[in-house]
């Protein structure tokens, strides 16, 4: 469970004019922001109760899992690229000399 302030910030961003414009530009319609508000309310209920409201915590966790599944849906549906089982053999090889020289005086 994230800190409650994060859920409040997400809800505020979702309902702001800038957020609404971005949603309309990307999705062609405004998104439903009510889940962020529910998550914020459940987070407050979980943190402010003396005995830790387990039902509120479970609802937040379900919401986070659902949000994660939606975010990773395209990743799991990918059938174009094959996933690696291990990193390439030369992943830790030294950089080419021209890159080392270019980055000589940088952080």
């Amino acid at each position: 469970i994230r800190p409650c302030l994060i859920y409040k910030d997400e809800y505020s961003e979702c309902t702001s004019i800038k957020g609404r414009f971005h949603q309309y530009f990307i999705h062609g319609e405004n998104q439903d922001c009510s889940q962020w508000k529910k998550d914020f309310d459940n987070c407050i209920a979980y943190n402010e109760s003396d005995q830790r409201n387990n039902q509120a915590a479970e609802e937040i966790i379900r919401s986070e899992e659902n949000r994660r599944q939606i975010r990773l849906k395209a990743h799991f549906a990918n059938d174009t690229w094959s996933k690696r089982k291990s990193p390439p053999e030369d992943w830790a090889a030294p950089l080419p000399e021209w890159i080392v020289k270019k980055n000589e005086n940088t952080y």
Side-chain angles (χ1 to χ4, degrees):
I1 297 177
R2 302 190 236 179
C4 296
L5 185 59
I6 292 177
Y7 297 113
K8 183 179 181 190
D9 288 345
E10 290 285 355
Y11 177 70
S12 297
E13 174 66 26
C14 186
T15 57
S16 70
I17 292 173
K18 180 182 172 187
R20 292 296 186 183
F21 181 75
H22 179 77
Q23 294 164 15
Y24 189 76
F25 183 78
I26 298 298
H27 303 288
E29 61 187 10
N30 289 331
Q31 303 294 302
D32 180 22
C33 301
S34 63
Q35 190 59 47
W36 289 116
K37 179 69 171 151
K38 288 177 193 171
D39 290 346
F40 174 68
D41 292 340
N42 283 327
C43 185
I44 295 295
Y46 173 71
N47 285 321
E48 290 186 351
S49 63
D50 293 335
Q51 296 177 337
R52 295 279 186 176
N53 188 340
N54 289 336
Q55 182 180 1
E58 289 172 6
E59 288 183 32
I60 294 171
I61 292 169
R62 267 196 304 274
S63 172
E64 289 285 350
E65 287 173 349
N66 186 37
R67 192 174 292 119
R68 186 171 187 263
Q69 284 178 345
I70 291 169
R71 183 174 58 84
L72 295 175
K73 184 178 180 181
H75 169 73
F76 291 122
N78 176 23
D79 61 354
T80 304
W81 303 99
S82 59
K83 294 180 174 54
R84 290 188 192 147
K85 301 209 180 339
S86 63
E89 290 181 20
D90 63 343
W91 73 272
L95 293 172
E97 193 172 319
W98 68 272
I99 294 178
V100 173
K101 192 172 227 66
K102 178 182 173 191
N103 294 329
E104 211 167 58
N105 295 323
T106 65
Y107 288 106

